Each structure stands twice: as structure tokens, then as C-alpha cells.
Amino acid sequence: MHLADLITELNGFCGFMSILSSLRYCLGPASSFGHAWAALAFMPFGLFFDFMDGKVARWRGKSSLMGQELDSLADLVSFGVAPATLAFALGLRTPLDTLALSFFVLCGLTRLARFNVTVASVPKDSAGKSRYFEGTPIPTTLALDAAMAVCVAQGRVLDRIPGGVWGAELLGGSLAVHPVVGVFVLWGALMTSRRIRVPKI
């Protein structure tokens, strides 16, 4: 295992700690946001380590297939499972909400798996780096992290989620859904789109 791989592990560590913090928020008082803020804070730290592992690998001239797989798995935890878990903790808890959040996570999984199998066929620059990403990169879900931070700061969580809940009276609430969860569905679709090509910096 190379130094870059250890840095990638720190990305996964941040994602897992974010998940645990979300669970701790669920177990505590709804008005105490300390654990929610911790969950939010761990995700940008994950991005820092995600950025640094590639830098260190190129600096040391050491990379491996294991490193590539580790990077994808850590990204799924930090930028897929962690934000979905926090969204659930903050109030997106209806059956349809959880179905939408599952779709979001599975899109992240699909996007990362597709990247690993197609990276060799994507055009490269003079340094050997891919010229673009197919679909939005999974770390862009930090925008959702920022949106959730605004909601936490304003206390717009649980029964005060922006947009409220629709269908609460249908079939005993089994068809209830928070419209805002559609943002996660849209983000998942953007990650798996083959039409969107994002230049790689």
C-alpha cells in the first residue's frame, strides 16, 4: 500500500464518521444540531483527502489498480452514502423519500463503476490524465451538503423541511414524499448521464 492509498483511506474515514454523526443526531434531541454539523463537516474533509491522494500519487510517481478501486469506494462512502444518510437524518424519512435516496446512492455506485471500466478509453492529455468526466463527478454532491447546511442553520429540518410533504393523507401516509428529495434524484441522473462531459481540471 502506497502513501496515496493511505490518504484515500482517510477520505473513507471521513465519510464513515459523517454517517456515524448522522446516526448520533437521530438518537439525540431534534433541536440539538451538534452531530448534524459534524456530519456536514466531515464531507469537505473527505474532498480534501480525495484531492490530495491524486496529487501525492503523481508526485511520488506511484499509482496502482488498488489505489483506483480504493478511491472509488471511498468516494461512494463520503459523497454518496454519507449525504444520503444525513438527508434521512434531517427528515427525508418517508418510504418514497428513502427510495429516492437509494436511487441517488445507486447512481453514485454506477457512475464510479462506469468510470473504472471506461477510464482507459477516455481521451487523455499530454500528462496522461483523462480530458473529461462522463456525467457529473460524485464529489459535486458537496453542493447538496451546502444546501443541507443552510437548512440546519435555519432550523428547516424534520417537520420544517422546505417544500413540506406531499401525499401524507394517501394510503395512511405510505405515499408521502418531500418534494425536495427530487434534487437527489436529479443529481443521481446527472452523475450517470453519458451526454454530460465535465472537463477534468
Side-chain angles (χ1 to χ4, degrees):
M1 181 175 287
H2 303 302
L3 176 60
D5 298 336
L6 292 175
I7 295 174
T8 303
E9 298 273 12
L10 290 175
N11 175 12
F13 169 79
C14 289
F16 183 61
M17 290 303 293
S18 177
I19 292 169
L20 292 182
S21 297
S22 295
L23 297 178
R24 289 191 180 103
Y25 172 72
C26 285
L27 295 173
S31 59
S32 180
F33 295 124
H35 292 306
W37 282 117
L40 288 161
F42 275 114
M43 286 183 259
F45 279 109
L47 179 65
F48 171 76
F49 291 120
D50 185 44
F51 176 77
M52 288 303 299
D53 61 4
K55 291 289 186 183
V56 170
R58 287 188 289 274
W59 168 57
R60 292 174 59 88
K62 293 182 178 180
S63 60
S64 65
L65 182 59
M66 178 180 174
Q68 176 180 306
E69 298 299 328
L70 272 177
D71 188 69
S72 291
L73 292 170
D75 282 357
L76 179 63
V77 174
S78 293
F79 312 122
V81 180
T85 303
L86 180 58
F88 176 88
L90 295 179
L92 301 184
R93 303 180 183 181
T94 72
L96 290 182
D97 288 342
T98 54
L99 184 63
L101 293 175
S102 298
F103 173 82
F104 167 77
V105 173
L106 293 177
C107 283
L109 177 63
T110 301
R111 190 252 180 273
L112 291 166
R114 188 180 70 193
F115 174 80
N116 285 349
V117 299
T118 62
V119 64
S121 62
V122 174
K124 307 292 192 299
D125 60 18
S126 57
K129 293 173 59 178
S130 301
R131 292 184 180 275
Y132 57 80
F133 294 105
E134 280 190 353
T136 55
I138 195 169
T140 61
T141 61
L142 279 181
L144 300 175
D145 186 35
M148 287 188 285
V150 172
C151 289
V152 171
Q154 297 178 349
R156 302 293 301 276
V157 300
L158 301 176
D159 58 349
R160 299 188 63 231
I161 290 177
V165 60
W166 293 0
E169 305 300 325
L170 299 176
L171 296 180
S174 60
L175 295 182
V177 64
H178 293 88
V180 73
V181 80
V183 177
F184 283 85
V185 174
L186 174 62
W187 220 278
L190 291 174
M191 285 192 290
T192 55
S193 173
R194 285 186 175 274
R195 295 178 178 273
I196 297 176
R197 293 185 174 181
V198 181
K200 190 170 184 180
I201 301 175

Coordinates of all heavy atoms in Angstrom, one line a residue, residues 89-127:
A89 N -31.5 11.6 8.1 CA -31.5 12.0 9.5 C -32.2 13.4 9.7 O -32.9 13.6 10.7 CB -30.0 12.1 10.0
L90 N -32.1 14.2 8.7 CA -32.7 15.6 8.8 C -34.2 15.6 8.4 O -34.8 16.6 8.6 CB -31.9 16.5 7.9 CG -30.5 16.8 8.2 CD1 -29.9 17.8 7.2 CD2 -30.4 17.4 9.7
G91 N -34.7 14.4 8.0 CA -36.2 14.4 7.8 C -36.7 13.7 6.6 O -37.9 13.6 6.5
L92 N -35.9 13.3 5.6 CA -36.4 12.7 4.4 C -36.5 11.2 4.7 O -35.7 10.4 4.3 CB -35.4 12.9 3.2 CG -35.2 14.4 2.9 CD1 -34.3 14.5 1.6 CD2 -36.5 15.1 2.6
R93 N -37.6 10.9 5.4 CA -37.7 9.5 6.0 C -38.9 8.7 5.5 O -39.1 7.6 6.0 CB -37.7 9.6 7.5 CG -36.5 10.3 8.2 CD -36.6 10.4 9.7 NE -35.5 11.1 10.3 CZ -35.4 11.3 11.6 NH1 -36.3 10.8 12.4 NH2 -34.4 12.0 12.0
T94 N -39.7 9.3 4.7 CA -40.9 8.5 4.2 C -40.4 7.4 3.3 O -39.3 7.4 2.8 CB -41.9 9.4 3.4 OG1 -41.3 9.7 2.2 CG2 -42.2 10.7 4.2
P95 N -41.3 6.4 3.0 CA -40.8 5.3 2.1 C -40.4 5.8 0.7 O -39.4 5.3 0.2 CB -42.1 4.4 2.0 CG -42.8 4.6 3.3 CD -42.6 6.1 3.7
L96 N -41.1 6.8 0.2 CA -40.7 7.3 -1.1 C -39.4 8.1 -1.0 O -38.6 8.1 -2.0 CB -41.9 8.1 -1.7 CG -43.1 7.3 -2.2 CD1 -44.1 8.3 -2.8 CD2 -42.7 6.2 -3.2
D97 N -39.3 8.8 0.1 CA -38.0 9.5 0.3 C -36.8 8.6 0.3 O -35.8 8.8 -0.4 CB -38.0 10.3 1.7 CG -38.9 11.5 1.7 OD1 -39.3 12.0 0.6 OD2 -39.3 11.9 2.8
T98 N -37.0 7.5 1.0 CA -35.8 6.5 1.1 C -35.6 5.8 -0.2 O -34.5 5.5 -0.5 CB -36.1 5.5 2.3 OG1 -37.4 4.9 2.0 CG2 -36.1 6.2 3.6
L99 N -36.7 5.6 -1.0 CA -36.5 5.0 -2.3 C -35.7 6.0 -3.2 O -34.8 5.6 -3.9 CB -37.9 4.7 -2.9 CG -37.8 4.0 -4.3 CD1 -37.2 2.7 -4.1 CD2 -39.3 3.9 -4.8
A100 N -36.0 7.3 -3.1 CA -35.3 8.3 -3.9 C -33.8 8.4 -3.4 O -32.9 8.5 -4.3 CB -36.0 9.6 -3.8
L101 N -33.6 8.3 -2.1 CA -32.2 8.4 -1.6 C -31.4 7.1 -2.0 O -30.2 7.2 -2.3 CB -32.2 8.5 -0.1 CG -32.7 9.9 0.4 CD1 -32.8 9.9 1.9 CD2 -31.9 11.1 -0.1
S102 N -32.1 6.0 -2.1 CA -31.5 4.8 -2.6 C -31.1 4.9 -4.0 O -30.0 4.5 -4.4 CB -32.4 3.6 -2.4 OG -32.7 3.4 -1.0
F103 N -32.0 5.5 -4.8 CA -31.7 5.7 -6.2 C -30.4 6.6 -6.4 O -29.5 6.3 -7.2 CB -32.9 6.4 -6.9 CG -32.6 6.9 -8.3 CD1 -32.7 6.0 -9.4 CD2 -32.3 8.2 -8.6 CE1 -32.5 6.4 -10.7 CE2 -32.1 8.6 -9.9 CZ -32.1 7.7 -10.9
F104 N -30.3 7.6 -5.5 CA -29.2 8.5 -5.6 C -27.9 7.8 -5.3 O -26.9 7.9 -6.0 CB -29.4 9.6 -4.5 CG -28.2 10.5 -4.2 CD1 -27.7 11.5 -5.0 CD2 -27.5 10.2 -3.0 CE1 -26.6 12.2 -4.7 CE2 -26.4 11.0 -2.7 CZ -25.9 12.0 -3.5
V105 N -27.9 6.9 -4.2 CA -26.7 6.2 -3.9 C -26.3 5.2 -5.0 O -25.1 5.1 -5.4 CB -26.9 5.5 -2.5 CG1 -25.7 4.5 -2.3 CG2 -27.0 6.5 -1.4
L106 N -27.3 4.5 -5.5 CA -27.0 3.6 -6.6 C -26.5 4.2 -7.9 O -25.7 3.7 -8.6 CB -28.3 2.7 -6.9 CG -28.7 1.8 -5.8 CD1 -30.0 1.1 -6.1 CD2 -27.7 0.8 -5.4
C107 N -27.0 5.4 -8.1 CA -26.4 6.2 -9.3 C -25.0 6.5 -9.0 O -24.1 6.4 -9.9 CB -27.2 7.5 -9.5 SG -28.8 7.3 -10.3
G108 N -24.6 6.9 -7.8 CA -23.2 7.1 -7.5 C -22.4 5.9 -7.7 O -21.3 5.9 -8.2
L109 N -22.9 4.7 -7.2 CA -22.2 3.5 -7.4 C -22.0 3.1 -8.9 O -20.9 2.7 -9.3 CB -23.1 2.4 -6.7 CG -22.6 0.9 -6.8 CD1 -21.2 0.8 -6.1 CD2 -23.6 0.0 -6.2
T110 N -23.1 3.4 -9.7 CA -23.0 3.1 -11.1 C -22.0 4.0 -11.8 O -21.2 3.6 -12.6 CB -24.4 3.3 -11.7 OG1 -25.3 2.4 -11.1 CG2 -24.3 3.0 -13.2
R111 N -22.0 5.3 -11.4 CA -21.1 6.3 -12.0 C -19.6 5.9 -11.7 O -18.8 6.0 -12.6 CB -21.4 7.6 -11.4 CG -20.7 8.8 -12.2 CD -19.6 9.4 -11.3 NE -19.0 10.5 -12.0 CZ -18.0 10.3 -12.8 NH1 -17.5 9.1 -13.1 NH2 -17.4 11.3 -13.4
L112 N -19.3 5.5 -10.5 CA -18.0 5.2 -10.2 C -17.5 3.9 -10.9 O -16.4 3.8 -11.3 CB -17.8 5.0 -8.7 CG -18.0 6.4 -7.9 CD1 -18.2 6.1 -6.4 CD2 -16.7 7.3 -8.2
A113 N -18.4 2.9 -10.9 CA -18.1 1.6 -11.6 C -17.8 1.9 -13.1 O -16.9 1.3 -13.7 CB -19.2 0.6 -11.4
R114 N -18.7 2.7 -13.7 CA -18.5 3.0 -15.1 C -17.2 3.7 -15.4 O -16.5 3.5 -16.4 CB -19.7 3.8 -15.6 CG -19.7 4.0 -17.1 CD -20.8 4.9 -17.6 NE -20.7 6.2 -17.2 CZ -21.7 7.1 -17.2 NH1 -22.9 6.8 -17.6 NH2 -21.5 8.4 -16.8
F115 N -16.9 4.6 -14.5 CA -15.6 5.4 -14.6 C -14.4 4.4 -14.6 O -13.5 4.5 -15.4 CB -15.4 6.4 -13.5 CG -14.1 7.0 -13.5 CD1 -13.8 8.1 -14.4 CD2 -13.1 6.6 -12.6 CE1 -12.6 8.7 -14.4 CE2 -11.8 7.2 -12.6 CZ -11.6 8.3 -13.5
N116 N -14.4 3.4 -13.7 CA -13.3 2.5 -13.6 C -13.2 1.6 -14.9 O -12.0 1.3 -15.2 CB -13.5 1.6 -12.4 CG -13.2 2.3 -11.1 OD1 -12.7 3.4 -11.1 ND2 -13.5 1.7 -10.0
V117 N -14.3 1.3 -15.5 CA -14.2 0.4 -16.7 C -14.0 1.2 -18.0 O -13.6 0.6 -19.0 CB -15.4 -0.5 -16.8 CG1 -15.5 -1.4 -15.6 CG2 -16.7 0.2 -17.0
T118 N -14.2 2.5 -18.0 CA -14.1 3.2 -19.2 C -12.9 4.2 -19.2 O -12.6 4.8 -20.2 CB -15.4 4.1 -19.5 OG1 -15.6 5.0 -18.4 CG2 -16.6 3.2 -19.6
V119 N -12.2 4.3 -18.1 CA -11.2 5.3 -17.9 C -10.1 5.1 -19.0 O -9.5 6.1 -19.5 CB -10.6 5.3 -16.5 CG1 -9.9 4.0 -16.2 CG2 -9.6 6.5 -16.3
A120 N -9.8 3.9 -19.4 CA -8.8 3.6 -20.4 C -9.2 4.1 -21.8 O -8.3 4.5 -22.6 CB -8.5 2.1 -20.4
S121 N -10.5 4.2 -22.1 CA -10.9 4.6 -23.4 C -11.2 6.1 -23.5 O -11.4 6.6 -24.6 CB -12.2 3.9 -23.8 OG -13.2 4.1 -22.9
V122 N -11.2 6.9 -22.4 CA -11.4 8.3 -22.4 C -10.2 9.0 -22.9 O -9.1 8.7 -22.5 CB -11.8 8.8 -21.0 CG1 -11.9 10.3 -21.0 CG2 -13.1 8.2 -20.6
P123 N -10.3 10.0 -23.9 CA -9.1 10.7 -24.4 C -8.3 11.3 -23.2 O -8.8 11.8 -22.3 CB -9.7 11.8 -25.2 CG -11.0 11.2 -25.7 CD -11.5 10.4 -24.5
K124 N -6.9 11.3 -23.4 CA -6.0 11.8 -22.4 C -5.3 13.0 -22.9 O -5.2 13.2 -24.1 CB -5.0 10.7 -22.0 CG -5.6 9.3 -21.7 CD -6.3 9.4 -20.3 CE -6.6 8.0 -19.8 NZ -7.5 7.2 -20.7
D125 N -4.8 13.8 -21.9 CA -4.0 14.9 -22.3 C -2.5 14.5 -22.3 O -2.2 13.3 -22.1 CB -4.2 16.1 -21.3 CG -3.9 15.7 -19.8 OD1 -3.2 14.7 -19.6 OD2 -4.3 16.5 -18.9
S126 N -1.6 15.5 -22.5 CA -0.2 15.2 -22.6 C 0.4 14.5 -21.3 O 1.4 13.8 -21.3 CB 0.6 16.4 -22.9 OG 0.4 17.4 -21.9
A127 N -0.3 14.8 -20.2 CA 0.2 14.3 -18.9 C -0.4 12.9 -18.6 O -0.1 12.3 -17.6 CB -0.1 15.2 -17.8

